[in-house]
Amino acid sequence: MGLQAPRGTRDILPAERIYWQQLEATARQILDRAAYREICTPIFEQTSLFERGIGEATDIVGKEMYTFQDRGDRSLTLRPEGTAGVVRAYIEHGLYSQGGVQRLWYLGPMFRYERPQSGRYRQFHQLGVEVLGSADPRADAEVIALALDILKALGLEDVTLMLNSVGDRDDRAHYRQALVDYLTPYAADLDPDSQDRLHRNPLRILDSKDPRTQAIVNEAPRLLDYLSASSQQHFEQVQSLLEELGIPYQINPTLVRGLDYYTHTAFEFQQGSLGTEGTVCGGGRYDHLVEELGGPATPAIGWAMGLERLILLMGDRPKEPSPVPHLYVVTRGSSAERQGLVLAQQLRHQGYIVEVDFSGSSFKNQLKRANRSGATHCLVIGEEEAAAQTVQVKWLASGEQEQVAQADLLSAAGRSRLFGEQ
Ligand code: ATP
Ligand code: MG
């Protein structure tokens, strides 16, 4: 059998990459306008960062990490998510000492050992934002609003914002006890994963997809009823800000994020048509993570979007025509070939997209390829043109053509006459 990409990974071929570029450009523009700045952290980190930052009782740390020993016998892990690395960098570089709020975003591959299916891979990509240093509910509303702006700009119109509050640590400790007390008599009826979580991470049982467990959970005490007055107030402020921003939401009392460090606001954007893989964005507040990883107490909030799922939903959007003329250079004969390459480089320096045919085949075959390439114009240099230092400019759409001096093509006036303003 031939070589194949590892299970759960996929190649993004040039035709699909166009959509990725569009997605990235859109996100970058929206985040730039809100003064978020890009950060890149390593693709692998010390395993202990994720154990401490995500939590040992989570699925990610428990069974999804790609962990290995390097040749120096260090335990390293391919990052399963972006937040832990960003927080590590924030602490390591003392970004908190720059005062004020840090608004950061990142984009890159993440790795989780999961059962691959449509919209679920072992290497996938996330775009994420993190706002560090503000406990203000406006930060919660701002990150949610930006996520929605990005989803809408990509053409996802019918996404639903699901919202919940998981309170603070104290609220959760009280609730956790009430939940365990309620669930214990039903322990034998829970699905095996949930039985396992009953004492390790009972809140995650709320998230179970098993119908029998769900039926039991539906009657369970609600986390929202255990919020302290200040948690309650934060949650109400977030809701009223969303209303002022005109952002509809649904409260989902069983929405709990899978990561231990979340506090207060938890949210997801869901798109109906993707089924269980319908969550395109998930996030929430994590007011204790920075401190848990050794930094100063710093409230924070963020989200991450799964880009493969977004690309699936962006669907077959028409390709936007390139605003820059795209030239295809066809040559025949060694002197013409050399001139063609030099001319191409000079035109590229002027900002044109220039593709050179290296096949050495007949004019007819090269012209066929020019037509398939998506180019707007073909530049033809044969032996006669090479001798006279000229070039035939051919408009591929109309077939019209004109002979011009190469020097003319390289003058600003000549180029703008032939190809329009650059
Ligand atoms: P799920 O419940 O679908 O497993 P999650 O809670 O594990 O999601 P997060 O850790 O919050 O997901 O990651 C944020 C987003 O990243 C998800 O909403 C999803 O769009 C995407 N994502 C997560 N895991 C994968 C994966 N294995 N393949 C593709 N996208 C993923
Ligand atoms: Mg998951």
Side-chain angles (χ1 to χ4, degrees):
M1 200 177 62
L3 289 173
Q4 291 179 335
R7 184 165 149 77
T9 70
R10 52 195 291 281
D11 300 306
I12 305 171
L13 299 179
E16 187 187 331
R17 247 343 259 183
I18 294 170
Y19 296 97
W20 287 77
Q21 285 165 2
Q22 211 178 336
L23 190 161
E24 186 171 341
T26 302
R28 188 181 286 273
Q29 188 187 51
I30 289 170
L31 295 169
D32 274 351
R33 286 184 188 162
Y36 285 60
R37 294 181 308 153
E38 186 176 7
I39 183 168
C40 290
T41 62
I43 281 174
F44 55 83
E45 297 267 2
Q46 291 179 36
T47 302
S48 58
L49 171 67
F50 301 119
E51 288 169 348
R52 286 168 62 190
I54 300 174
E56 311 250 11
T58 58
D59 282 355
I60 292 180
V61 173
K63 47 189 183 195
E64 294 176 358
M65 293 207 301
Y66 278 92
T67 297
F68 59 97
Q69 300 291 120
D70 77 359
R71 289 167 193 274
D73 220 26
R74 300 170 190 88
S75 179
L76 299 173
T77 294
L78 299 184
R79 63 182 185 195
E81 53 95 58
T83 305
V86 170
V87 170
R88 197 249 329 117
Y90 174 83
I91 298 169
E92 184 172 336
H93 302 285
L95 297 185
Y96 47 85
S97 67
Q98 297 176 10
V101 175
Q102 289 282 329
R103 294 181 171 84
L104 303 171
W105 68 271
Y106 60 83
L107 187 155
M110 306 293 160
F111 305 84
R112 296 184 193 177
Y113 191 79
E114 298 201 69
R115 204 165 66 79
Q117 51 197 293
S118 165
R120 190 174 294 282
Y121 306 97
R122 291 181 174 174
Q123 173 174 336
F124 61 100
H125 295 76
Q126 285 184 338
L127 165 71
V129 306
E130 313 293 353
V131 175
L132 294 132
S134 176
D136 194 302
R138 283 176 298 171
D140 308 41
E142 177 173 282
V143 296
I144 290 173
L146 291 173
L148 185 60
D149 281 348
I150 293 172
L151 297 173
K152 282 199 169 157
L154 296 174
L156 278 74
E157 287 297 338
D158 48 340
V159 286
T160 308
L161 168 61
M162 301 294 221
L163 190 68
N164 193 22
S165 170
V166 297
D168 205 342
R169 281 195 287 213
D170 290 345
D171 308 342
R172 284 226 298 255
H174 293 139
Y175 175 69
R176 184 188 158 113
Q177 194 50 54
L179 183 64
V180 174
D181 290 347
Y182 165 82
L183 289 173
T184 303
Y186 299 104
D189 302 322
L190 299 173
D191 61 276
D193 267 351
S194 296
Q195 289 183 11
D196 193 46
R197 288 177 177 141
L198 187 52
H199 295 285
R200 288 200 308 140
N201 192 2
L203 261 64
R204 283 288 279 158
I205 298 176
L206 300 177
D207 213 22
S208 168
K209 306 282 181 287
D210 179 79
R212 240 173 111 187
T213 303
Q214 272 179 350
I216 296 169
V217 159
N218 281 340
E219 306 298 317
R222 286 162 30 121
L223 178 46
L224 283 178
D225 298 326
Y226 284 74
L227 299 187
S228 67
S230 70
S231 297
Q232 184 65 40
Q233 195 193 13
H234 183 93
F235 192 38
E236 277 161 13
Q237 284 173 336
V238 173
Q239 291 174 59
S240 82
L241 288 167
L242 291 175
E243 276 150 33
E244 283 183 51
L245 289 164
I247 299 177
Y249 58 87
Q250 279 178 29
I251 294 194
N252 178 352
T254 63
L255 175 76
V256 285
R257 309 286 311 141
L259 313 179
D260 278 353
Y261 49 70
Y262 282 101
T263 52
H264 299 294
T265 313
F267 60 92
E268 282 182 358
F269 284 92
Q270 288 174 4
Q271 161 86 20
S273 62
L274 276 189
T276 49
E277 271 63 51
T279 307
V280 289
C281 175
R285 199 164 254 298
Y286 50 92
D287 288 345
H288 303 298
L289 180 64
V290 180
E291 214 177 349
E292 263 163 40
L293 293 179
T298 307
I301 183 161
W303 50 248
M305 285 182 187
L307 301 191
E308 279 75 4
R309 293 185 196 178
L310 288 187
I311 298 282
L312 274 173
L313 291 166
M314 280 168 73
D316 268 342
R317 303 214 300 155
K319 281 189 206 113
E320 287 177 24
S322 158
V324 176
H326 180 154
L327 315 175
Y328 193 97
V329 178
V330 165
T331 53
R332 197 95 184 108
S334 64
S335 162
E337 284 171 2
R338 281 197 300 272
Q339 288 182 20
L341 185 64
V342 172
L343 190 64
Q345 271 300 90
Q346 288 166 325
L347 288 165
R348 287 168 184 153
H349 295 159
Q350 303 302 326
Y352 294 92
I353 302 171
V354 190
E355 203 174 331
V356 179
D357 193 305
F358 290 151
S359 68
S361 60
S362 68
F363 271 136
K364 190 165 159 244
N365 277 332
Q366 293 191 53
L367 281 166
K368 267 194 205 156
R369 267 194 294 274
N371 277 305
R372 278 198 307 257
S373 72
T376 50
H377 302 75
C378 190
L379 306 182
V380 185
I381 307 177
E383 277 170 21
E384 277 172 38
E385 287 84 3
Q389 306 264 311
T390 60
V391 52
Q392 297 279 350
V393 177
K394 187 173 157 84
W395 280 256
L396 287 166
S398 63
E400 204 184 318
Q401 81 182 48
E402 181 180 334
Q403 175 150 341
V404 298
Q406 290 179 22
D408 241 16
L409 202 61
L410 292 172
S411 76
R415 281 197 317 268
S416 85
R417 183 178 68 79
L418 290 163
F419 307 130
E421 240 17 272
Q422 262 296 281

